[in-house]
């Protein structure tokens, strides 16, 4: 039997001091019409602006903040959830 398959999808946003772009990136990603479970991981690479505050205060529970202490990038965020 065939049917539609929509596996879970995680989008990792690696960002450093991206407070001006992050709200739109999060909103656009969450508004996707992807039919499966969607999660957004914001991987902040030692941001010194409001990037982490924006992600932390996001009202949508599908948004998770990973705080890197140094420029460690997307791979570090992936490893945190492996």
């Amino acid at each position: 039997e065939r049917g539609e398959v929509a596996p879970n999808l995680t989008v990792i946003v690696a960002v450093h001091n991206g407070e001006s772009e992050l709200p739109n990136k999060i909103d656009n990603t969450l508004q996707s019409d992807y039919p499966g479970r969607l999660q957004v991981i914001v991987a902040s690479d030692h941001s010194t602006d409001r990037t982490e505050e924006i992600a932390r205060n996001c009202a949508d529970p599908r948004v998770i903040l990973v705080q890197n202490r140094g420029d460690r990038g997307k791979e570090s965020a992936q490893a945190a959830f492996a």
Side-chain angles (χ1 to χ4, degrees):
E1 187 174 318
R2 295 188 135 187
E4 289 197 29
V5 176
N8 296 342
L9 175 66
T10 299
V11 176
I12 298 176
V13 179
V15 61
H16 173 77
N17 290 347
E19 70 178 319
S20 62
E21 299 90 10
L22 187 58
N24 285 333
K25 178 63 177 174
I26 291 172
D27 289 342
N28 289 340
T29 303
L30 293 176
Q31 291 176 18
S32 163
D33 60 356
Y34 184 73
R37 183 175 172 269
L38 176 67
Q39 178 181 51
V40 178
I41 296 174
V42 176
S44 172
D45 278 354
H46 196 72
S47 294
T48 57
D49 64 357
R50 293 183 53 247
T51 294
E52 294 174 5
E53 177 185 342
I54 291 166
R56 188 180 308 109
N57 292 331
C58 185
D60 195 304
R62 297 175 293 172
V63 177
I64 296 171
L65 171 64
V66 174
Q67 296 172 282
N68 292 327
R69 294 296 156 221
D71 295 332
R72 297 177 57 198
K74 181 179 78 168
E75 290 79 15
S76 177
Q78 288 172 317
F81 288 89

